[in-house]
Structure formats: C-alpha cells, structure tokens
C-alpha cells in the first residue's frame, strides 16, 4: 500500500479512525494514567496527535481557523520547547480534564477542518506536513499498544485488552533450529533510497564497509532465553555491561517484563489473552538492551550492528502481507514456520549501534526539526518493526531507538558473529 | 444529631449515600489519579471504605458471606500491614481497573449484605465496629473534598467542582477587628467526656495545667495573611523554623496553596466557584504548619497549644447548626459576623502541639489498633473542623493531625499569647 | 564546678584546650571527612567554634581587630542564615583546605586576641557571649565524640580511638533488677531555676500537671534490648510507629548502630576499645527514637515525658562526681551498681516529648536567637547527658533534641508507666 | 620512549615514583576526600594501583608472598566484582583509615617485593601483566591530575596546586586562523597496528569507509567558545541534544567548568597558577560532550567521528617531543604556533562516536577482562591525549571514553564537516 495511491483525505480519515479503534476496548479510567514516566496516557495520545495537525497545518494554512482551546497548546505539546510559561505545573498522568469526551470533541473539530482543507488540492509543503502528521500519528498508534499493555499488564488484576481472543494452542510449537545467514565483506549502501515517505533519520544515504559476518535467520525464542534465566544469567556479572549490572540490581530484574512466575511455572501477560503460560516457541520480547547484550555474551555471540542488520534484511527479507494487530493473528513466532527468514514485523530487534546521525544528516528547519535529531545520544537503535507497528512503517531502513534500560516496547533480539 | 437516635441501618445508608453524592459531579477520569502521594483517587476512597465493612464486619460476623473479589483485599487496604505478598507491585494512582462501574457494583454488593445483617439486632461488638466504619467513611468524605480540590485545582484548566454555584458577593466583606479571649490559669480537664462516639485518641481524659493566656476570637483572614506575603514574609528566614525554611526554598513556596497571581491580582481556586478573586474577609486556608508558625512569629504572637484551644473552645464555642458542604453556603467567614466566637466548622486550626498520645492512651487490640496510635510522631495537631467536615465530627475534643509541610486540607490559624 | 568561680580567661583556655585534646588521637585524614550529613568533620568543629568567638565577640568588641581570613566566615558558619553569596559551592566534607595546620593557626590567632581582651574586666554582654561561646564549644566537644565514633566505627578497619585502653572485664557484670520509682500526681515546676548558666530553651519556668506515674530506677541494658532483637522485634510492625517502620525497612535496620554480628556472636564498636564483645550489663546506646518506642511497646510500657523525667531526676538523682571521658572509666553501667538511681551522665534518654518551646519562651535577639528556637519542630527531647557530655552540661533541666531516626549520639532509654 | 628499551625493573620504579611525585604538593587532607562520585581520593589511587600489582602479580606469581593486609582487598578494589561480603559498608571518600602513612608503607612493601620478583627474567604472562599494571598506573596518574584539580578548584579558597608557577603572559596570544584539512573518501584501516603496548579496545584492526570530509587543523579556543557563551548559547534549546538541555537546566550550567565570572571578567582556575584571567588563545577545556556538540551546532558544523579523527591524525600529526606536566610548560595553545597541526597531547577531543567494541573485539579472560569491555555503552569516545597524559599513552589509536555529561577531565573539541 503506497500513500500516494490513496487520496490524502481518505488516508487522513483512515489513520485517524485507526487510532480511535485502538482505544475502543479501554475503560474511561484507562485513558488517564501514567504509571511510569515513559508511558503516556491514551487520552494524551489522542489529544497530542490532534494538536499536531492543528498547530502545524490548520493554524498556519487554514484561513480564519480558530483554535479549539487556547489551553490545549501546552496540555498536548509533547516536547517542543517553543512554549510559554504555564500558570499551573502538572504532568500528563494527572490531567483528568479535559475529559475524554472533550478530547473526542476536539478530535472531531480538527478532523472536520482538516477534511475541509483537504477538499481542494493542497500545496506541497502542506502535503508534506500532512504526511508527517500521519506518520507521527501512526507512531503513536504503536506507542498506544506499548502503553496500554503497560497499564493493564502491571495492574494486579491483569485484565486482557481484548477479551474475545482465542488463546493460542501451545502444543503446536515446534521450533526450527536457527541457521546463520552469511554476508560477504564489502562496501554497502545504507539509508532510504526508495520512493515514498521516510523519516529524516533514514536519509543521508551513505556507504559503510562491513567485514564478513553471519546473522541468525530467526529471532531468539522464549525457550532459548529461558535457558539463560535458568542458568543464573541474571545473577552473574560476567555477562553484563557495567551500567546493565547496576540496573539489574537496582531494579531487582530477574526476567523479561511481563513474565510472572507462580508456583514454579512461568506465565506471560499478553495483550490479547491476558495471563497465559509462556509460549516457548514465540520470540522473546520486552527485554532491555542490557538483557539482549547479556544474552549474546552468555551465548558467546554478539548483536549485529544496525548496518549489518539492514544489509542482511535487504537481501533476505521477503514481501510481507502484514496484517493488522486488532484483527489478525500476527505476531506468531516465525520460528515455527521454518521456511522463511523474516526480518520484519515480529519484534523490534536490538542492534549494537548507538543512535547517531548518518553522514550528511540534516535536521529540518523549525519545530519539526526537533522530531529526531535531538535524541541522538544515549540511545541504541532497534530495527525491524513489531506486530504493533503500522504496516507502512515496517521497512528495512526504519530506525527505531530507545534508552538501553527500556523494555516496555516489543523488543527482542537476533544474534550475529564474525566468520 | 446523635447516632443512637437513628436506626443503625438508616444511619448506614445515609453515610454510604453521602459518599456517592460527593463524587457525583466528577468525570470518570477524575476518579483514578493520584497527583501527589498524599492525595488518593476518589475511586480508591469508594473501594476502601467498602473494604472496611467487608473485612471487619461481614467476613467475621455474617454467616456464609462470600467476599466479592479476593484481589480487592490488597487493592483497597490502605495501610494495615497484615497483608500477604502481591504478584504485581503497583500504586493507587495507576489502578485503572477495577473500573468505576465495578467498584460501584462492589459497594452495592457489600451494602446489601450489610443491610441484611442490620435487619436484626446486632451484638455490641458489631455495633461498635459499625460505628467505627461509619466514622471512618465520614473521615474519607472529608478527604474526598481535599483530594478532589487538589485534582481539579492543580489542573491547568482549573475547572470548578460545582458549576451551578453563585459566586459570593465580595463587596459585603467587612471584617470585624479581632479580640483576644482571656482564660485564667489553672488545672483543666482534657479529652472526650460526653456520651456518644469519639476516636481512641480523644480518650484518656486527663488534667493539664495552663498558665493564663488569651486567644483570638476569630480566625486569621486572607487579608491579614496577604500583608505577611506582601511584607516579604516568605523571603525572610527570621520568621521560619529551620525545617520550614528548607521547605519554602526547596518547593519555591510563595503563598498559600491555590493562590494564583495574574497580572498583579491575587486569585483563589475554590471548589464551588473555580478561580475567583481572593476574598480578603475569608479565613486564610491551605497553609502548612510552617506558614502558620511563620505568620505568628511575624505578628510577634504564637499558636495556641491544643489544650489551650480545647479549653477556650469548650468555654466559648456556640451551638452550631452545621450545614452540609454540598448544599449550604457554609464556610462563610465568621470574621464578617462580628457577634460570635466560632471555633468549630470553618477551617482546621493548626496548634503548636505535636501529635502525641494522651496519658492512659491505649490502642485497641487487633488491626483497628493501627487506626491512630502508630501515627503519633512527626505530626502536629489541628482542631476545630472545616466546612468539609461531617457535622457529627465537629466537636471540641476531635484531634486531627498532619505533617507540618502539608496543606492540601482546609487548614488555617488563630493566634494566642500569654498575658 | 561553677563557671563563676573560675576566672573567665582561665575558663576560656581550659575549654579551648579540651577541644584540641579530644582531637589529638586523630590522624590528619580523620579531620576532613563527612560520611553522613549529620556528622561534621573534626576540622570543621575546630574552625567553627573559633569563628563563633571571632564573629560574636572579637569583631564587634575588640578595637582594631583584623579578622584572620575573610573567607573563613562562610567556611565555618554552621547555619546562621545571614551570609552573602559564595563564588564556589561546596560542602563541609570536601574542604581539604584550609589545611588542619592553618586551622590550628587560626585558633591560636583568635585565642591570643581573646586572651588579650579578657585581660581586663569585660562588660556584661561580652561576658554573656563568652559564656555562650564556651557552652557552645562544649556542645561541639560532645558532637566531636559522636562524629569521631561515626568516622572510625564505620570504617572497615574499625580502628580504636584510644589504643592504650584496658578492655573492660565483662565477667563482673551482674545486673541489678530494675525497680520503678513512684511519683505522686500534682502540679510541678519545670525549667531552670538555679543560678548559673543555662540555654534559652530551659528557661520559661512554668508549671505542669502530672498524673501519678512510675519510672525505672536504671537504664535499659544491652542484655534486655538483645531479647527484643532476638524476639524478632525488628520484623514485627506491631511495635513500630508508622514512620519508624518505614525507616527500619528503608534502611534495613536490624540492631542498634555499632552492633555487628559475626558467626552468631554480637560485637560492639567502642571508642575506647574498638570492636569487642557486647557487654550485656551496659546500657543500650545508639538507638533511634523509633527503636526506643518500639522496645517500650514490646515491653507493654512507655517512655516518660520530658516533664516526668525532669521531676523524677530532681527528686532522685544524686550528686555526681563526673569524670572526664578521656581519662576516667566513666560510662560504666549503673545497672551493675545496684545502689543508686543515676539519671545523669550515662546516656541521653529518649523521652516521649516533642521538642517545643516552653511557655514564655523567647528567642534572644540577633543571630544568637537562631541557636535553639528554630529547631523546635520534628524533633524529640532527650534528657540526662552522656559520658561524652561535659560535666557542667549535665543537669536535670538540660534539653537535648534530635530527629527521631538519628542514633549516632549516645542515646538510650528508661521506661515509665502509669499506676 | 619505548617500554622495551628500558629494563622492566627500572620502568617499574619510574612509574611508581612518578605517581608519588604527582601527589607530593598535596596536604594530607587533600588525599582523602571524594567531592563527587567521579572523583577518587588521591590516597585511594595510591592504594588501588598498588593493589593491582599485589593481586594480579605478587599473589599468583611470587612464592610465599604474604599480602600486606587482608582488608586492603576490598578497600582498594575499584570495580572488579569478584569480591566477598563486607562487614561495614562505606565509600571511598570516607576512608580516613588506612592513613596516608600506612598506604605509603603498603606501597613500599609491594614495591620491594616487585623489585625482588623482577630481579630475574619473568615469564611472558607476568611481563604482560606488569605492562598492564604500569599502563594502568599511568592512567591513574592522569586521573590524579583531574581529581586534584577538582578537589582544589572547587574549594572556596581556590588554592593553586603548584605555587612556584610563573603565570603565563597573556599578551603574546595571537591566534592563528583555523584551516580545514581535507581527507578523501575511501576505505581506511582503523586500530592499533604498530609494535608496543596498546589496550584491548584499540585492537581488532578493521576497515571503515569514510566519505570525503575536512577537519580543523587546530582546537577550538577559549576565545571562540566565549562567543558561544556570550551569544546566549546556553539559553537556546535549538543547539542542544535533548538530554544535554535537561543537564544544562538541571545543573544550572552556564560555562565550562572552572570558569568563574567576577564583576564582568572571566577567570579560569588552573592547576599551575590558581585563579587567573581566561586565556583566549588557549584551547577550551572542561566541557561535556553536550557542550561540544552544542558549540558545533551553533557553528553549523559537527564533531568528527573517532574514525575520521584517527585517519586525519595518522596523516597529519607530527612527532611530538612531549614533556612532563610537572616540569614543562606543556599545554600551551597550539593555536599560537600556527605552523603545525597538532592532534596529540593538548586536550582530549570529543568525537561524535559512541564507545562501542571494534569488530573482532574480545575481552581478555579473567578479572582483567573487566578492564574496558563492560563500559561499552552510554559513553562517547575522546581522542588525542591531554597535557596530563603520560607521554607513552599519547597515540593516534588510543580510545578514551566518558559519559556525555562529564567534564572534569581535560576535554575540548575540534570541528569537522563534509565537503
């Protein structure tokens, strides 16, 4: 599906409705809390994505547009620094007002004005902002899945997000042995070179030299990771980066997030099924960079760099018929399939590359220039996309990034080695 | 109004319904947040007061009673330490589930079982626990007002709790000059000696010797306190206790809570009217002990001890026809009236007494013994009751207590001196 | 020993030399560190006590006096707020300069100027400041013992302060059974009424009414306290104030400070002997208020109020021939003696009274007014004096005070009850 | 100077004596404090470098060697995790004992045993450990300069480290205009390929592809950096990485460390001269990565990667006749010279590369494997060496690394650009 084939207006409505569709199973209270600093309340996502269109398109480009509410500017601004003083300090997780109902009215108000603006041909700069706004909202759709999972999966009642879910049949799990795909040494091209939208951090096409290496043809599974857990991996400093060892001890980390042990049996909290027995054939998820790196050291292997990953994915990844998290049975372990080398759409894969600008990288002018560039320190790159990623974000050049201690996103790993 | 005159069952329903009545103006999201550690989410209050009846009455005394949900025990337990391990750690402000709807079902379930239990005569120990449970719920009614005010009054939109409110006419405010009421030196009796319910911390009737003193016949007003603010009181260490001076600087405190200055004019956030101009004739509220003490030092006077307050209140306070916060215009400044010496029902008055056990104090056996005794350190006593206090809690012997830096409750002050 | 009998100049030199005598056994490095916020480096004590005489006496009263170094004002000021901006922020524990040698030169410089000032009769206000300065320095002598003990007793080498010490013979320990001394109900006089120096917080002589009570005729011993430890007292919330229970868990407290358990045997770090086996007959020391209160609850008794303590001590305490910590064998357990009721000079005894101003209390004008008054919140009163207390500070009206979680001072307890 | 030319024993004594020579100007108290977590007390450096020889050479390889003191193991171990339980928790900055005198005795004891061991030919593994131990001690020599500067330069008295210093004549400063040296695109070899010692993190020689770029032929000067300061660079979020902007605001950063402004004039604290007027021609130092990056953004340029730096330095850096910090006038601004392209020995230069393992990197087995590898996350690489760096550590392949907020080391920058 290519953006340009669909009319902008239609595309706009589809993305906007998907966001609301994702939120539909929530109770009103689920919309408002922020249990840890990295999680945002779903209501805030709904307002913030709307504020983006109002601020960057409607106010500058739509004649006579009246902002819905002057206060919403600082309530729904995420991190753009160009904002005045506030009368009352607060934080996202306490914002019981505006109420959900009012946020939905705000969405409707902005949507109708956008609809009317898109009635006619728009100039290219508006089209570009529209595209960015929709990509931005799709990124927040993915974050919504992370945040909803955190809110429900750390509630003592462990409620499922979708109740009608059929539980997976676990007995079918036969995991394919992993193989290593070889790549020859040489100079490779990195970065987004196709048509279609990409983010600024994928641009700056450039060359890298890679030594010969090999990379696993599938993800590491829960079953494999469990061996690390049961081998005392979390108690042995030898496998850990120094900062990671501090983190493990400070936070009393003993397993991936959402793993719970009851009476000797490991369970896993899943958005779709609630608490269920750990599926040993599924890819391990919700691990931090520190855990991914420690696992690799325990296996006497290593994580791939983001360049190694991209080159391998360009060669081996297949056309995907990516489904939709809400409706499909996506996120099935590729390990079971045994007949392809899926690099895309299962879980985000930690690489050993720090998040840094590509050569020739340039941040765009103005507030949208704050989108990516200013985060290029202290974070690690993840590649591949997860089952919660919008289909048109899943591409081999997409660079996701998180601090190395975070794991509330759908993060996993694949190993590499020199040969 | 004496509890015994009304049938237990009727009393039970009245108290339970009042709690729900207080919450009625909230939006569903208002029920769930905990913006600071001292504030609890309204949904939690609804569940916790219900849990009290279930745990201390229904489970031990009602035949064949089935608890509504085994998980609610640790979700709605406040601080009683006798609780087992939890699978998932969390805190009150993230508990989006159980949803409000389910908490209301829980209330209904427990209420119907209580109703059936109270159908017949109950043994005295059950009657005493019922009384304690109702008093406990009424204390939470007062906390609900504090917490709702904090949630709404620190929201950048500053929404009013009750929208239909008539704003007070400010022009009528003529403040009576304050007088000092004299009390002779001697040995006085302290503690609860009347019939009717009181808390354990009011018992232990005992004697104290008081030197001759005088105490203001009304509360300090906003207008008087504003002079302290404008005289630079918050910038002059001389008026402050050392811990208070640290607090003022660490928290950048410049005025009572809910005071906001816009373009040189002072405003005040009120539950009933939202943001409105500061009423100079009203008693100052939402001040910490440190502020009360600093104001007293600035005036070259002092706060009364809790004993001085109680003796004066016993002599001078008049019969009150206390209204109801939701319906009346209560909380009007007594300063305007000029013809009585109201000690009760306006704002909680900081005393200079630390919260300590009375002579002969004994904590009751069992979990209810944790009710008061274990908090008897590091807190200061407040007396008098506020406009948010249930009428049958407003008595001269009632001992409220808070840490000296807190001010989200309706706290004010009255001065004293030796003569 | 009464201050007035000795010439001011002689008294001055004696106090000043005692301070240096206390520091003499230290290595140069011991003078400079601040391992926790409550401990001050010995070098700082040496400078600060000197600064007091320079600032409050020499600068205002000695003609043509030149301050030793302009920078020493903010380096050696403890907490008096009347100080200007600083070029470089720092804290006490990092002040390697001025070097010890220079601080000693500073002391000498000030001492010689004081000597010359005291050559002649001084006006009464200077005499009063001199007295205050010497009392102040003696308080710092006691703090020096606390701080030196903390610095050495938390060093992994556990070095003794005085190496030549004879270890106590433990076999002699036969502990007298404790008795309870009875006091009749009535109105008693509290506060300092004798001649001689006292601090402002002891003034404000006033009456209190006491109900009949009884108080132990000796201190609680290590042996008695050990039973509490071994009975699981630190693991049972029932004995603890809520803030205390938080403290025990947050800090992983399991016994008094300086108690170390090695292979099942309890040891105690003592200034004079280093690490030695716990003396069961000695009074328990280095306990917080929370521990004292928990122990009392475990015994089903209570701590005395500071008024009960003072009245009992006035009746029962005997003339003391108090020695000197450096030379005598003081701090022997009174429990062994069996024939007196020593209230003074063993360990500071926690009372159940919060530290509050007495009636009629007035802080002196000026900077010395910050001496006591501004600390009158959040602390508890201790009475009696310890073996590290200068003899002329040991009196029945002396009010020591500390936050309830502290225990690096020589603190213990005695129990009371109503009868 | 090549290590192999000198006899091991002689080399050993030289390095050991240099360490003591660096500490000689300190007062005893300077040896013991730890004002911030990144600074270690000089006494600890003296002990820790000694412990290294004792633990890794004498204990395993010297017959009948008796460790000096069993306790020194955990006192002087820095971060090697293989250590048992401790009786007393402490931290480096409180260790007044062992006293300096005893640490010097410990050095002597170990030195004599090393001397005797080195009398004869040693096996290669011992020789390698000796080399590592000496390199390690030299790294600590450099850290000693950082730490001593921090201890003295954050003392309110701002004492100079060496008093006899001639102040630099500032009037001579004529700064050469900077040029950009061009490097062609291509595949370059990275890593240590010469003979002689290098650290494990320099090994793993590998190829990188570099696009054409240009790099400044000298360091950025104080004068140039001052323009950034005076242009409001620290107040404009546009120049800052997001984490950097948080750091600037949280820590109230307004200029490089050791810059002090008095009455409109900028001063700089220098180890050799104490506080002196800012030398505009000298290279800017004591800046964090965030500051280096913000300066580059303000100039519309960028930092070089560590690979660009190494390639340029290999081509352009000249033979150095590096002096010795204690005796020479090293650290003179190369900007004044105008006739060379010095890359080595002035200040450590921030690069835009995160500290990550080179391809084929392998940590050595055993405890020395913890030397470098476990720090390869969350840090940025610096190159070039400073005037405090031992001469034989100054090489184009040496990889230094620090967290991006640190700046107590001698850190500066050089700019780069694509062409």
């Amino acid at each position: 599906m290519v953006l340009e084939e669909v009319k902008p207006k239609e595309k706009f409505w589809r993305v906007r409705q998907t966001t609301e569709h994702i939120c539909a199973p929530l109770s009103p209270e689920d919309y408002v809390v922020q249990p840890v600093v990295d999680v945002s309340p779903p209501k805030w996502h709904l307002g913030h994505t709307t504020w983006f269109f109002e601020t960057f398109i409607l106010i500058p480009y739509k004649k006579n547009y009246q902002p819905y509410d002057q206060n919403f500017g600082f309530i729904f601004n995420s991190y753009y620094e160009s904002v005045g003083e506030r009368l009352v300090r607060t934080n996202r997780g306490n914002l019981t007002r505006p109420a959900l109902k009012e946020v939905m009215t705000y969405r409707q108000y902005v949507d109708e004005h956008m609809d009317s603006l898109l009635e006619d041909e728009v100039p290219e700069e508006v089209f570009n902002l529209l595209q960015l706004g929709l990509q931005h909202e799709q990124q927040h759709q993915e974050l919504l899945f992370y945040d909803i999972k955190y809110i429900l999966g750390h509630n003592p009642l462990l409620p499922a997000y979708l109740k009608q879910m059929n539980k997976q049949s676990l007995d079918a799990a036969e995991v394919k042995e992993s193989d290593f795909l070889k790549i020859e040494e040489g100079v490779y091209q990195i970065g987004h070179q196709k048509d279609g939208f990409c983010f600024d951090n994928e641009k700056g096409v450039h060359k890298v030299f890679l030594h010969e290496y090999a990379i696993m043809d599938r993800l590491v599974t829960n079953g494999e990771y469990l061996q690390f857990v049961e081998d005392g991996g979390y108690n042995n400093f030898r496998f850990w980066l120094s900062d990671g060892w501090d983190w493990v001890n400070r936070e009393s980390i003993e397993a991936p997030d959402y793993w719970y042990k009851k009476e000797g049996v490991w369970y896993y909290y899943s958005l779709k099924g609630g608490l269920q027995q750990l599926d040993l054939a599924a890819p391990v998820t919700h691990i931090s960079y520190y855990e991914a790196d420690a696992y690799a050291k325990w296996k006497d292997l290593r994580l791939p760099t983001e360049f190694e990953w991209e080159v391998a994915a360009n060669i081996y990844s297949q056309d995907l018929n990516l489904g939709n998290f809400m409706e499909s049975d996506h996120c099935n372990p590729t390990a079971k399939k045994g007949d392809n080398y899926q690099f895309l759409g299962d879980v985000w894969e930690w690489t050993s590359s720090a998040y840094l600008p590509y050569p020739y990288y340039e941040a765009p002018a103005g507030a949208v220039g704050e989108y990516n560039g200013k985060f290029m320190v202290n974070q690690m790159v993840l590649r591949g996309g997860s089952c919660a990623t919008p289909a048109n974000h899943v591409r081999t050049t997409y660079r996701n990034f998180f601090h190395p201690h975070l794991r509330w996103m759908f993060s996993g790993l694949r190993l590499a080695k020199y040969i």
Side-chain angles (χ1 to χ4, degrees), chain A:
Chain A
M1 178 191 351
V2 180
L3 185 72
E4 285 74 11
E5 292 169 3
V6 186
K7 284 208 167 158
K9 194 164 127 178
E10 196 183 325
K11 179 69 185 164
F12 176 80
W13 281 106
R14 270 194 215 164
V15 170
R16 297 288 284 168
Q17 280 159 7
T18 298
T19 308
E20 293 169 20
H21 187 45
I22 291 168
C23 293
L26 302 180
S27 78
E29 297 99 322
D30 293 333
Y31 283 90
V32 80
V33 298
Q34 179 168 38
V36 291
V37 68
D38 307 291
V39 167
S40 291
K43 198 173 68 176
W44 183 88
H45 286 292
L46 291 171
H48 170 66
T49 48
T50 305
W51 166 88
F52 193 101
F53 290 110
E54 182 175 66
T55 303
F56 294 115
I57 298 183
L58 293 178
I59 292 174
Y61 295 104
K62 183 143 201 287
K63 253 191 199 155
N64 301 321
Y65 177 77
Q66 293 300 317
Y68 179 81
D69 187 316
Q70 297 291 357
N71 289 307
F72 283 20
F74 63 79
I75 290 179
F76 290 127
N77 180 357
S78 54
Y79 55 79
Y80 302 88
E81 294 279 352
S82 46
V83 167
E85 276 305 307
R86 304 176 186 191
L87 187 58
V88 179
R89 276 196 207 185
T90 185
N91 62 52
R92 289 181 197 170
N94 305 331
L95 285 173
T96 65
R97 311 289 177 95
L100 175 59
K101 223 177 82 184
E102 183 147 15
V103 174
M104 296 311 284
T105 309
Y106 174 43
R107 283 184 76 88
Q108 208 180 337
Y109 178 86
V110 165
D111 285 354
E112 279 162 14
H113 279 280
M114 284 296 295
D115 188 273
S116 128
L117 181 80
L118 298 175
E119 195 64 31
D120 310 312
E121 197 79 3
V122 292
E124 196 189 334
E125 71 198 84
V126 173
F127 180 76
N128 288 340
L129 285 164
L130 173 66
Q131 265 207 128
L132 184 62
L134 294 175
Q135 296 282 340
H136 172 257
E137 180 140 354
Q138 288 183 306
Q139 290 184 313
H140 280 276
Q141 287 166 7
E142 178 157 5
L143 287 170
L144 269 167
F145 284 118
Y146 303 169
D147 295 352
I148 290 167
K149 182 162 183 177
Y150 196 97
I151 290 165
L152 301 181
H154 290 89
N155 183 299
L157 304 180
L158 293 169
Y161 164 61
L162 298 177
K163 289 189 190 156
Q164 72 283 12
M165 186 61 194
N166 303 330
K167 297 226 175 184
Q168 293 176 290
S169 59
L170 293 177
D171 49 7
E174 273 192 41
V175 182
K176 191 182 81 60
E177 273 299 297
S178 64
D179 269 332
F180 276 82
L181 311 170
K182 291 182 191 173
I183 315 277
E184 283 177 20
E185 93 162 30
V187 172
Y188 292 89
Q189 197 97 329
I190 295 293
H192 191 265
Q193 304 166 68
K194 297 188 186 158
D195 291 338
F197 178 87
C198 76
F199 284 103
D200 57 8
N201 63 5
E202 300 167 66
K203 289 178 186 165
V205 172
H206 66 285
K207 294 177 201 154
V208 299
F209 181 89
L210 299 182
H211 290 268
E212 195 180 17
Y213 68 100
I215 189 165
M216 265 174 75
D217 67 345
R218 65 162 173 76
L219 294 159
V220 171
T221 63
N222 281 329
E224 288 165 335
Y225 196 88
L226 183 58
Q227 291 174 38
F228 170 65
V229 175
E230 296 189 336
D231 190 41
Y234 283 81
N235 304 316
N236 191 334
F237 69 89
R238 285 183 204 288
F239 307 126
W240 295 86
L241 289 162
S242 182
D243 287 359
W245 186 239
D246 290 349
W247 171 78
V248 157
N249 288 293
R250 192 175 58 244
E251 306 284 330
S252 303
I253 303 293
E254 297 173 343
D257 207 357
Y258 301 111
W259 286 32
Y260 298 112
K261 199 175 191 173
K262 280 200 304 195
E263 296 158 17
V265 180
W266 281 104
Y267 293 82
Y268 172 75
Y269 172 80
S270 145
L271 267 183
K272 286 190 171 174
L275 200 66
Q276 49 190 248
Q277 219 176 310
L278 188 67
D279 178 357
L280 299 180
V284 65
T285 53
H286 297 296
I287 56 171
S288 70
Y289 177 76
Y290 298 129
E291 290 167 291
D293 184 74
Y295 177 82
K297 291 220 173 76
W298 175 75
K299 290 291 280 187
D300 226 352
L301 292 166
R302 63 178 180 85
L303 300 178
T305 67
E306 65 168 320
F307 310 112
E308 290 172 337
W309 191 96
E310 182 171 325
V311 168
N314 282 339
I315 295 171
Y316 288 101
S317 74
Q318 304 183 343
D319 281 352
L320 289 173
N321 190 5
L322 289 174
N324 169 301
F325 179 82
M326 303 293 285
E327 285 150 26
S328 80
D329 67 347
H330 197 50
C331 271
N332 268 344
T334 56
K336 292 184 195 166
K337 297 175 187 159
D339 56 353
N340 69 3
Y341 314 119
Q342 190 167 327
F343 276 79
L344 297 170
D346 260 346
V347 299
W348 288 102
E349 305 180 22
W350 284 110
T351 75
S352 66
S353 296
Y355 181 47
L356 295 169
Y358 280 174
Y360 311 117
Y361 171 74
E362 278 190 70
V368 296
E370 296 188 50
Y371 204 93
N372 270 310
K374 74 180 184 183
F375 299 112
M376 289 177 173
V377 72
N378 297 329
Q379 312 210 37
M380 303 304 285
V381 173
L382 301 98
R383 295 297 196 101
S386 77
C387 55
T389 311
N392 64 329
H393 282 227
V394 176
R395 58 181 171 270
T396 59
T397 58
Y398 193 104
R399 307 174 80 200
N400 206 346
F401 51 91
F402 285 101
H403 286 95
H405 67 288
L406 292 178
R407 55 182 200 164
W408 97 112
M409 61 287 184
F410 294 90
S411 53
L413 86 157
R414 168 191 313 271
L415 299 171
K417 61 182 176 188
Y418 290 107
I419 41 182

